[in-house]
Amino acid sequence: MTIAPVTISSDRLEVVDFTPPFMTTSAGMLRKWEKTASGLLAFKPLDPWAALCIMVTVVVAGLVFYLIARIRRMANVSDGDDKFDIWNSMWIAIWSLLPHGDEPSVRSTPARIMATGHWLSCYILVTMYGASLASLFTVQSLDSDITSLGDLLTKPSINLGVVENEFIFNNLKSHYDAATGTTYDKLYQRIQASGSVLKSSTEGVLKVKKDNLILLEEFPVIEHNVRNDANCDLATIPDTFMKGGFGIAFRRGDPLGKELSIALKEMQEDGQLEALIQKWFPQTKCDLYGDRASGDSYLTPISISGVFLIEAGFALMAILVACLEAFFKKRDENPPKTQGIKMNISDELLREIGD
């Protein structure tokens, strides 16, 4: 008895018996993922929640500039920054995102501290966004109009590969007839001509990434490789062929065959089989057909949270400096009353002594 992902085929049914298929399968095509441009590509690196956080940060920065101006106005400090209203403060926060800036400029120490933190944060955000956007403009050399096996056969410049002594290779080889000229015959001829008969699926995946080879492989193997690729650099072409299923092979007439078939049917009915499939083929960030649901190129609130901490630190420092300046300014303008009382007492004593 063999418990393995054995594809049920007519050749194998002549030798052994199989349980009913416990998992459907087919032959598919594994390719390197082609990053394609779209009209909304410029917005793709920015997660919507990250964009909202950035907008909120800009508004808060404007309010901090306004708060600093209010504190300095209350302290009667006149250096230009005390005249900033809410609109000027918001404009300062917004133009910090621009490469060349604009007027008005800040002059006071606390406002310059806040501006330093805000400009630094904006510079980091713009740099990260530009880097993420540049990575999405990378386009691979593989043609984007391959959607089926027929399209693939019309492009002789593209190399095809298949793993030796596996189901697809053996099926093509055993049914090959040069005289008939079917699609599968042409496919086998292409593979033989290119010499891309591989020793293992692992070797095939490496050649897909390095040489833009298209690997013909059973679809569950393709799905496992695509969904578990670290950089989501793999995808599959939607068209499949040689549809069939995986079964458990056992010796002809073996009485355990019936028991296995019943057990598999029960596992299908109570959901155990589906749970196993979901365990080994989980939904990940890598899409089968080359579109990333999420990924490292996105700027998420978590990935840019350090920028917000930098700005918050500078904002707190600026407010603290503004408050200290106002405190010392008020103290200098209004000397303690005890000093005046002491001087009055001294004057009285001197007059008494003089008399």
Side-chain angles (χ1 to χ4, degrees):
M1 182 184 300
T2 300
I3 299 179
V6 181
T7 304
I8 302 172
S9 67
S10 57
D11 293 336
R12 290 168 178 168
L13 283 170
E14 293 178 359
V15 181
V16 295
D17 288 338
F18 282 91
T19 62
F22 60 83
M23 186 177 182
T24 58
T25 184
S26 59
M29 294 166 277
L30 181 67
R31 66 180 176 88
K32 191 173 183 178
W33 177 51
E34 178 187 2
K35 302 178 178 72
T36 56
S38 67
L40 298 177
L41 183 63
F43 302 99
K44 191 172 182 180
L46 196 59
D47 180 85
W49 287 107
L52 179 61
C53 290
I54 292 173
M55 288 188 287
V56 170
T57 301
V58 170
V59 172
V60 171
L63 293 175
V64 172
F65 281 117
Y66 179 66
L67 177 60
I68 292 172
R70 291 277 297 180
I71 293 173
R72 296 177 68 76
R73 191 180 305 126
M74 292 169 59
N76 296 320
V77 180
S78 299
D79 54 9
D81 287 359
D82 59 305
K83 296 181 176 62
F84 278 16
D85 57 18
I86 186 66
W87 301 113
N88 282 337
S89 300
M90 287 298 172
W91 180 237
I92 291 174
I94 292 171
W95 66 246
S96 296
L97 291 168
L98 306 177
H100 301 294
D102 200 354
E103 291 293 337
S105 59
V106 294
R107 295 176 177 83
S108 65
T109 300
R112 286 180 175 177
I113 292 174
M114 180 60 200
T116 300
H118 189 54
W119 290 339
L120 177 61
S121 300
C122 291
Y123 177 78
I124 295 173
L125 287 173
V126 171
T127 303
M128 292 175 67
Y129 180 82
S132 297
L133 187 61
S135 69
L136 291 178
F137 274 111
T138 303
V139 179
Q140 305 298 332
S141 60
L142 183 63
D143 292 338
S144 61
D145 56 349
I146 299 175
T147 59
S148 66
L149 185 61
D151 293 336
L152 195 60
L153 291 175
T154 62
K155 297 185 179 296
S157 60
I158 297 177
N159 291 328
L160 303 180
V162 66
V163 180
E164 187 178 16
N165 294 326
E166 287 196 355
F167 168 69
I168 298 174
F169 177 80
N170 292 337
N171 190 65
L172 291 173
K173 183 178 180 180
S174 62
H175 293 89
Y176 173 69
D177 186 351
T180 59
T182 64
T183 299
Y184 289 172
D185 293 334
K186 295 177 181 177
L187 185 61
Y188 184 71
Q189 289 173 351
R190 277 279 300 275
I191 294 170
Q192 290 293 93
S194 64
S196 297
V197 179
L198 308 169
K199 297 297 183 182
S200 67
S201 181
T202 302
E203 180 188 358
V205 172
L206 292 175
K207 283 187 172 292
V208 168
K209 290 184 175 183
K210 183 179 178 181
D211 303 328
N212 279 336
L213 176 90
I214 289 187
L215 177 66
L216 307 179
E217 182 59 277
E218 293 183 79
F219 196 79
V221 178
I222 290 177
E223 182 176 2
H224 179 76
N225 280 287
V226 171
R227 294 203 182 279
N228 291 280
D229 187 67
N231 298 316
C232 295
D233 286 333
L234 298 173
T236 182
I237 296 170
D239 188 38
T240 58
F241 54 99
M242 293 186 186
K243 294 177 173 59
F246 287 150
I248 298 176
F250 53 91
R251 187 177 53 205
R252 280 184 171 276
D254 194 320
L256 285 177
K258 183 177 180 180
E259 296 181 22
L260 284 171
S261 299
I262 294 173
L264 284 174
K265 189 63 177 176
E266 291 175 347
M267 291 179 68
Q268 287 177 329
E269 292 174 349
D270 63 17
Q272 291 184 53
L273 201 54
E274 182 63 26
L276 287 173
I277 292 173
Q278 292 300 321
K279 176 183 177 180
W280 293 104
F281 297 91
Q283 297 295 318
T284 64
K285 66 178 182 179
C286 304
D287 187 83
L288 280 175
Y289 304 105
D291 185 23
R292 296 183 185 184
S294 62
D296 298 333
S297 293
Y298 284 96
L299 299 182
T300 63
I302 295 177
S303 66
I304 60 177
S305 58
V307 178
F308 302 141
L309 292 175
I310 291 174
E311 181 139 9
F314 274 91
L316 292 175
M317 188 187 307
I319 293 172
L320 177 61
V321 171
C323 291
L324 289 174
E325 279 189 349
F327 171 76
F328 287 113
K329 178 69 176 178
K330 285 289 187 181
R331 191 187 67 173
D332 294 340
E333 291 179 350
N334 301 304
K337 294 182 179 180
T338 55
Q339 183 178 355
I341 293 172
K342 290 178 179 180
M343 291 181 64
N344 291 335
I345 294 174
S346 299
D347 292 341
E348 287 286 337
L349 288 172
L350 288 173
R351 279 198 296 269
E352 289 292 334
I353 295 171
D355 293 340

